[in-house]
Amino acid sequence: MQNQRVPGMAEGVYLDYASTSPLDPRVRDCMLTAMDDKAGFGNPSATNHAYGQAAGAMVATAAQQVAGLVNGDPELLVWTSGATESDNLAIIGGAEFRRGRGRHVIAVTTEHKAVLSACDALEHRGWSITRLQPDADGLISAQQVADAIRDDTTLVSVMHVNNETGVVQDIAAIGERCRAAGVLLHTDAVQSAGRLPLDMQSMNIDLLTVNAHKVCGPKGIGALLLNPTTIRRVEPLLFGGGQQRGMRPGTLPVHQIVGMGEAFRLLSGEMADEVPRLTKLREQLWSGLSQLPGVILNGHPQQRSASILTVSVSGVEGESLRFALRDIAVTSGSACNSATAEPSYVLRALGHDDVLAEASIRFSLGRFTTGADIEAAIDAFGTAVRHLRAVAATGAASEAA
Ligand SMILES: *Cc1c(COP(=O)(O)O)cnc(C)c1O
């Protein structure tokens, strides 16, 4: 499977797996099988007949496959429309469920917008929010979290792998401090599922967000896993027919769920080989890019994911760099989070000024990335940077003349 182009995928180098990833043909086959199943179209809630039972069995299998990767409980897995909804449900639903303890939530300034905006929404309801600032490597310490915990703190949200920099937070150490203080820990693990070991029990994660489309599964499906030892319910965001114990009603999208299950089954089976392969490719990429002067690695040099590498380039303009690199699919420092072309708040949080934050490129690797893709990206990047610097030097010389 590895090193093989996805059938039907356009030509061109794709290094934007942190935005989304191509559907694995094996996942697609599972989804088609589920959709073609003569009984499987049933409503999983209709447990009184064979159609509903067939669909329900598919959902139960998928829940085991997803929970299996993270040592979660398949009975306490809530299907959602994706990680955005899971993050919202965890933060708003988790905090509201525990509001008896107090109305204070802690997050990190470099979290995904789905977390930060959910915190903003709580703030509008009168909650108090502490936003922790990471160090220049993008890391926060367990001590920083412990120091921010108050008597009225309900929930802490810290992502495992940052989607813009690839930096890995020490969730186990943070989880220990949260558990000792009786505070819920929510972790957005979208970018770490299948790239790093994840164990909700040993890492003391109470609420865990994952989705399918960042790991070669379908878009529009995610899950929130609840830790049975600490939290068995959250307040719902949606109200309806009472499905999923009322936490997230609505008829379950069985084919999407089957796809997510298969995507996670594949991660469990292939992680051991895939992570070293991606790590080698990422190192190959960095050794190529770092040949150029003025290229800075964003985030901690060692404590990082195998699949994300973000660099900033001095002496070139972000807009021109983006244009020069248009033939390779990557994300630039101003396009990470929104349609508005504002410099990335994550890179700003690492201490970059606007110019440097804008002149940043995120390369993100995945299942179908090859060594040839990496070489092509290094070539394109080198050509672009040398060209832009030459143009800038000529411009400066003619201005001086
Ligand atoms: C992509 C991403 C999300 C949003 O996921 P959707 O399933 O597209 O809603 C949330 N958190 C992180 C870290 C992400 O990378």
Side-chain angles (χ1 to χ4, degrees):
M1 198 60 238
Q2 282 169 359
N3 305 322
Q4 190 182 317
R5 282 267 164 225
V6 185
M9 199 163 156
E11 288 304 305
V13 175
Y14 187 82
L15 291 172
D16 204 15
Y17 277 77
S19 308
T20 196
S21 56
L23 193 67
D24 189 300
R26 295 168 293 181
V27 173
R28 176 182 167 276
D29 287 350
C30 273
M31 293 176 72
L32 289 177
T33 304
M35 284 192 274
D36 288 342
D37 189 302
K38 289 288 176 282
F41 73 87
N43 187 327
S45 300
T47 50
N48 60 314
H49 56 64
Y51 297 89
Q53 288 159 10
M58 291 188 213
V59 171
T61 300
Q64 285 169 4
Q65 290 166 328
V66 173
L69 184 77
V70 301
N71 195 18
D73 181 346
E75 301 287 323
L76 288 180
L77 180 154
V78 182
W79 300 106
T80 64
S81 62
T84 298
E85 187 186 335
S86 297
D87 284 346
N88 274 258
L89 185 59
I91 289 169
I92 299 175
E96 289 286 9
F97 183 68
R98 284 279 186 91
R99 67 180 167 268
R101 182 185 155 105
R103 305 217 299 164
H104 176 234
V105 164
I106 300 168
V108 186
T109 56
T110 47
E111 292 294 305
H112 193 274
K113 281 281 184 187
V115 166
L116 295 177
S117 299
C119 289
D120 294 346
L122 280 178
E123 199 168 39
H124 284 129
R125 295 182 187 184
W127 287 65
S128 151
I129 311 292
T130 296
R131 297 172 181 84
L132 298 175
Q133 175 65 34
D135 67 16
D137 282 333
L139 293 171
I140 61 152
S141 66
Q143 190 60 45
Q144 251 178 302
V145 174
D147 289 346
I149 292 176
R150 317 189 309 214
D151 287 345
D152 62 344
T153 306
T154 304
L155 179 139
V156 171
S157 186
V158 181
M159 73 203 310
H160 196 193
V161 170
N162 185 276
N163 53 301
E164 288 195 38
T165 60
V167 162
V168 181
Q169 303 292 357
D170 189 349
I171 296 298
I174 293 166
E176 209 177 299
R177 307 302 282 269
C178 291
R179 186 63 58 88
V183 172
L184 292 173
L185 173 64
H186 165 249
T187 295
D188 178 331
V190 166
Q191 299 289 349
S192 66
R195 285 77 128 205
L196 287 170
L198 261 172
D199 183 330
M200 285 184 74
Q201 296 302 326
S202 72
M203 294 165 90
N204 289 323
I205 300 169
D206 303 300
L207 297 160
L208 184 89
T209 291
V210 284
N211 72 2
H213 78 92
K214 305 284 174 80
V215 289
C216 301
K219 293 169 183 57
I221 182 76
L224 180 69
L225 290 115
L226 280 57
N227 190 324
T229 58
T230 50
I231 180 163
R232 305 184 67 90
R233 277 206 77 73
V234 292
E235 292 292 334
L237 302 177
L238 301 178
F239 302 88
Q243 294 94 338
Q244 308 204 72
R245 293 195 295 125
M247 285 187 277
R248 207 288 193 171
T251 304
L252 292 173
V254 177
H255 62 297
Q256 302 282 85
I257 289 171
V258 165
M260 181 159 175
E262 176 67 2
F264 274 65
R265 189 186 71 81
L266 294 174
L267 290 178
S268 297
E270 296 176 0
M271 239 182 110
D273 293 330
E274 182 66 349
V275 175
R277 189 186 77 86
L278 290 172
T279 304
K280 264 178 71 183
L281 289 174
R282 191 202 65 203
E283 283 166 358
Q284 179 191 346
L285 178 61
W286 176 238
S287 71
L289 301 179
S290 58
Q291 300 293 311
L292 289 161
V295 176
I296 302 155
L297 177 69
N298 288 311
H300 194 278
Q302 281 87 42
Q303 210 164 316
R304 57 174 40 262
S305 151
S307 54
I308 300 177
L309 187 85
T310 307
V311 297
S312 297
V313 197
S314 61
V316 304
E317 200 237 328
E319 178 85 42
S320 315
L321 183 61
R322 259 193 305 288
F323 184 73
L325 280 176
R326 65 194 177 283
D327 288 340
I328 45 172
V330 291
T331 288
S332 66
S334 64
C336 286
N337 286 282
S338 64
T340 66
E342 275 173 20
S344 152
Y345 65 90
V346 173
L347 299 179
R348 297 276 287 106
L350 304 193
H352 288 357
D353 61 24
D354 284 359
V355 176
L356 197 57
E358 280 213 47
S360 301
I361 301 290
R362 176 186 70 186
F363 300 89
S364 48
L365 292 54
R367 188 166 297 157
F368 304 102
T369 306
T370 64
D373 292 334
I374 299 297
E375 284 310 315
I378 293 169
D379 280 355
F381 184 81
T383 305
V385 171
R386 276 189 293 267
H387 171 71
L388 293 173
R389 283 185 177 153
V391 169
T394 317
S398 61
E399 254 168 53

